[in-house]
Amino acid sequence: MNLGKKVIYQIYPKSFYDSDGDGIGDLRGIISKIPYIAKLNIDMIWFNPFFVSPQHDNGYDIADYYRIDPRFGTMEDFEELVAKLKEINVGVMLDMVFNHCSTDHEWFQKALAGDPKYMKYFYLRKAKPNGDLPTNWQSKFGGPAWKKFGDTDLYYLHLYDKSQADLDWHNPDVRKEAAKVVNFWRDKGVTGFRFDVLNVIGKDEVLVDSTDPVQEKTLYTDTPIVQKYIKELNQASFGQDSETITVGEMSSTSIANSIEYTKPENHELSMVFSFHHLKVDYENGQKWTKKPFDFMELKRLFNEWQSKMDQGDGWQALFWNNHDQPWALNRFGDPVNYREKSAEMLATATHLLRGTPYIYMGEELGMIDPHYYSIHNYVDVECLNAYQELIDEGHSAHDAFEIVKTKSRDNSRVPMHWDASQNAGFTVGKPWLKPTDQQEINVENELTDGEIFNYYQKLIHLRKTEDLISDGHFQAELEDHPQVFAYRRYLDNQAEQLLVLNNFYGYEPWAIIPEDLQNKNAHVIIDNYGEARDIKLKDAIQLKPYQSIAIKITK
Ligand code: GLC
């Protein structure tokens, strides 16, 4: 299988399409939209979790890994979805959340009832002799990472919400349960797996206090034991089928570890999601701040990750958006003056890199953060906690709200805009999150008058037809250019080269063409301001606002 020829589309089921009017998207809704999905010619769809869950963290708190939550549909619906997608050659990727399970899960409930077998599934620790919590660790969603375990003298660890109890992977029974879940879904025809926050499963057996928040992460992130557990899971489940595609969501990971997780000879994962490029608009590395993005740092990160992953034979998932991120268009583009051009530029910048691109539903329409005017429009536990913390730290309600607006995960969870109607054609009921801006941005408009969807179709087609894109090496170009992200792709024989220029700004900078490519006959394979065409390369090109252009040179 050539991972470089694959393109994956992400669907957040709760927000894609509601078939029964309860305001929440569902599996039958997705089935009814297959003709739309088919137009993009993607290879696989990653679905965020739709398993039984109390939904404290929108399904990332799983209470039963083997059943579909009735609010999303039935097992028959799921089987029909898999079968219908198979007819159009689209595979299904499911989200496996094994770092933690819901405190409603039978395992946790049995543990609470005192069953010793299940008590060993979790990190249960006593308070310190002075009564303090077992360690000083913080939950990633705010507050301490420990909560009282029923009316015992124990505490359980939760790196995320208090309803998400961390599973103890040191226990071989836990690892067997994980493989069993994966195999259950493989038997249902699932050929892709996304593993949630996989690199934090390897906590030490003895948990100790951290000295500061940065050091704290090292106590449970990317520990060597994670690799051992992934190898074991690979062998016991998905690794038995060479066509299965896997991706590990890696929190605060490194290039060196990402190479180890993905290089084929290690038999771990097909690829990883890493997030450094999505922190270039954080002040001092802190998410709940507001700051314009640092373009030079963004470029530096892309260049470093691409070159080193290429040299180390690692493989990356390429993406800007997902259900945890505000829309990239708001962060790195210009949704007001150049919505279409900047959406296309951002797409080009990642789609022509080395790796496997992911498209988050609605990205192909150029969707943007909703215009909400009150904190009451938001529902996500993470942003509501953060809002409260910002207020407690002394920010005014206005400032705290401005930060939440730019950083909330609800931004990208807003229902898909199908048409211009009041609920964006998503539901006939009351949508669980309110859409805004659907008058302008929606599927109906996009397919008749828009240019972004069509541009994505071209990018996807190019990945499947141009070996330079799917198989080529990466080389950074114009590294010091303050507006243009430029790179070159080339095959081992160097016979063909692809020069990609992306202007991240609304003005018209010049880009110097690398000397060895000057005066060559070349072919523009994609340009968001014009058609594919033959050209003669000069010594420089002036780019239009948010222009992207990819030029193929045959030596
Ligand atoms: C991942 C998911 C996110 C979830 C968290 C805890 O980061 O993408 O949505 O809240 O893990 O499961």
Side-chain angles (χ1 to χ4, degrees):
M1 178 183 31
N2 184 344
L3 288 171
K5 296 230 181 270
K6 306 282 181 194
V7 179
I8 299 180
Y9 188 74
Q10 180 190 351
I11 288 186
Y12 197 67
K14 198 168 179 177
S15 303
F16 195 61
Y17 186 65
D18 174 18
S19 73
D20 59 6
D22 64 358
I24 289 174
D26 46 50
L27 299 185
R28 296 228 66 83
I30 299 169
I31 293 172
S32 71
K33 294 295 184 187
I34 288 179
Y36 169 75
I37 298 167
K39 289 188 213 295
L40 273 175
N41 203 16
I42 43 95
D43 300 278
M44 183 168 264
I45 302 176
W46 155 27
F47 294 97
N48 294 93
F50 41 60
F51 313 104
V52 172
S53 158
Q55 300 281 326
H56 295 301
D57 185 22
N58 277 0
Y60 282 90
D61 45 331
I62 297 179
D64 187 340
Y65 291 91
Y66 299 98
R67 280 171 44 225
I68 312 277
D69 195 303
R71 73 192 99 200
F72 292 116
T74 63
M75 193 58 89
E76 288 69 44
D77 295 335
F78 177 72
E79 284 162 358
E80 185 179 330
L81 176 65
V82 175
K84 294 228 162 104
L85 287 175
K86 198 166 179 195
E87 283 168 21
I88 58 163
N89 285 321
V90 171
V92 168
M93 173 182 273
L94 291 190
D95 215 318
M96 300 280 110
V97 187
F98 293 137
N99 173 65
H100 44 261
C101 67
S102 163
T103 49
D104 283 6
H105 195 288
E106 189 186 24
W107 301 333
F108 193 82
Q109 288 302 317
K110 284 188 171 163
L112 264 184
D115 185 332
K117 173 175 158 72
Y118 292 99
M119 288 176 77
K120 291 199 199 96
Y121 274 39
F122 300 95
Y123 287 95
L124 304 181
R125 299 288 187 270
K126 287 204 165 117
K128 289 183 185 145
N130 67 359
D132 283 356
L133 293 174
T135 68
N136 61 352
W137 297 6
Q138 291 294 299
S139 152
K140 290 173 189 270
F141 288 168
W146 295 96
K147 185 161 171 19
K148 194 106 171 70
F149 184 63
D151 52 13
T152 68
D153 61 349
L154 298 168
Y155 290 81
Y156 68 92
L157 177 70
H158 63 89
L159 287 183
Y160 294 86
D161 186 54
K162 60 180 184 300
S163 66
Q164 296 165 304
D166 279 57
L167 287 160
D168 186 350
W169 276 67
H170 295 282
N171 180 348
D173 287 343
V174 166
R175 308 204 295 272
K176 278 190 203 127
E177 298 276 13
K180 200 171 132 194
V181 172
V182 173
N183 287 333
F184 173 85
W185 293 105
R186 284 178 62 214
D187 286 346
K188 298 246 172 246
V190 173
T191 52
F193 295 96
R194 179 248 189 205
F195 294 100
D196 191 60
V197 293
L198 190 60
N199 62 335
V200 302
I201 59 174
K203 279 135 272 200
D204 282 338
E205 261 159 312
V206 181
L207 306 178
V208 295
D209 274 352
S210 63
T211 50
D212 63 73
V214 177
Q215 186 260 356
E216 184 166 308
K217 287 190 182 162
T218 65
L219 297 175
Y220 57 73
T221 307
D222 277 339
T223 56
I225 208 166
V226 173
Q227 310 240 348
K228 179 176 164 261
Y229 293 155
I230 299 177
K231 284 198 176 85
E232 188 182 306
L233 184 61
N234 175 310
Q235 270 175 26
S237 61
F238 59 83
Q240 295 157 5
D241 175 4
S242 61
E243 290 303 300
T244 298
I245 300 181
T246 54
V247 53
E249 187 205 22
M250 302 305 186
S251 160
S252 306
T253 191
S254 67
I255 299 179
N257 280 309
S258 297
I259 292 173
E260 294 303 319
Y261 292 131
T262 59
K263 66 179 178 200
E265 74 212 52
N266 277 359
H267 299 286
E268 294 185 23
L269 300 167
S270 314
M271 65 190 111
V272 291
F273 285 119
S274 67
F275 296 92
H276 302 271
H277 67 296
L278 296 176
K279 296 182 179 171
V280 296
D281 53 0
Y282 288 15
E283 188 84 60
N284 298 322
Q286 296 303 309
K287 171 168 176 171
W288 298 98
T289 53
K290 198 175 163 184
K291 173 188 130 168
F293 80 107
D294 180 341
F295 175 62
M296 296 312 276
E297 179 61 5
L298 179 72
K299 263 172 63 149
R300 194 193 65 70
L301 283 163
F302 273 134
N303 290 338
E304 190 186 6
W305 274 78
Q306 283 282 302
S307 320
K308 292 194 176 155
M309 289 292 269
D310 186 5
Q311 285 149 21
D313 207 14
W315 197 255
Q316 269 181 283
L318 308 169
F319 70 105
W320 287 115
N321 295 299
N322 69 29
H323 63 292
D324 292 329
Q325 300 290 331
W327 286 105
L329 199 45
N330 287 75
R331 303 167 73 179
F332 311 110
D334 180 346
V336 177
N337 302 302
Y338 295 102
R339 190 179 67 85
E340 291 187 314
K341 294 301 173 200
S342 60
E344 293 154 6
M345 182 284 290
L346 289 171
T348 319
T350 49
H351 275 250
L352 302 186
L353 289 172
R354 178 178 173 278
T356 301
Y358 285 67
I359 301 166
Y360 180 63
M361 60 178 220
E363 186 182 310
E364 72 279 15
L365 314 175
M367 277 183 64
I368 56 172
D369 293 345
H371 286 90
Y372 287 163
Y373 296 99
S374 156
I375 188 70
H376 302 299
N377 288 121
Y378 294 87
V379 299
D380 181 35
V381 49
E382 186 204 31
C383 84
L384 297 178
N385 288 348
Y387 179 76
Q388 196 49 52
E389 278 185 16
L390 288 166
I391 302 270
D392 294 347
E393 282 164 17
H395 285 83
S396 68
H398 174 267
D399 289 356
F401 181 60
E402 284 305 306
I403 295 175
V404 165
K405 245 170 113 168
T406 50
K407 290 293 164 74
S408 173
R409 306 192 295 181
D410 286 332
N411 281 314
S412 56
R413 296 177 180 185
V414 163
M416 179 86 169
H417 296 173
W418 295 100
D419 61 35
S421 65
Q422 200 197 354
N423 294 329
F426 162 70
T427 180
V428 292
K430 185 173 181 302
W432 73 280
L433 266 182
K434 197 172 122 56
T436 69
D437 304 284
Q438 70 271 25
Q439 283 83 358
E440 188 199 351
I441 309 168
N442 64 63
V443 170
E444 228 171 65
N445 280 0
E446 186 57 34
L447 296 183
T448 45
D449 303 319
E451 54 176 60
I452 307 173
F453 187 93
N454 179 255
Y455 192 85
Y456 269 83
Q457 286 175 315
K458 283 189 198 165
L459 283 172
I460 296 166
H461 177 73
L462 281 172
R463 179 161 283 275
K464 294 178 187 299
T465 48
E466 289 285 351
D467 292 350
L468 266 170
I469 299 171
S470 54
D471 299 352
H473 294 290
F474 173 89
Q475 183 183 313
E477 296 288 353
L478 311 183
E479 282 172 82
D480 299 324
H481 199 299
Q483 288 99 24
V484 178
F485 172 42
Y487 55 86
R488 188 193 295 229
R489 305 290 313 278
Y490 61 96
L491 290 165
D492 278 328
N493 61 16
Q494 307 254 349
E496 288 185 344
Q497 313 250 344
L498 186 69
L499 178 67
V500 185
L501 305 172
N502 304 291
N503 175 13
F504 270 71
Y505 290 88
Y507 28 87
E508 308 194 348
W510 284 89
I512 308 283
I513 301 299
E515 248 174 68
D516 63 315
L517 303 180
Q518 290 180 8
N519 302 314
K520 293 267 188 311
N521 289 322
H523 183 69
V524 171
I525 62 168
I526 193 160
D527 171 4
N528 61 344
Y529 277 87
E531 294 303 314
R533 61 195 179 275
D534 289 330
I535 56 165
K536 176 120 185 155
L537 266 178
K538 303 205 181 81
D539 50 359
I541 294 186
Q542 188 174 21
L543 295 169
K544 299 196 172 65
Y546 294 99
Q547 184 170 20
S548 269
I549 182 163
I551 306 162
K552 183 165 139 182
I553 303 100
T554 310
K555 283 201 170 161

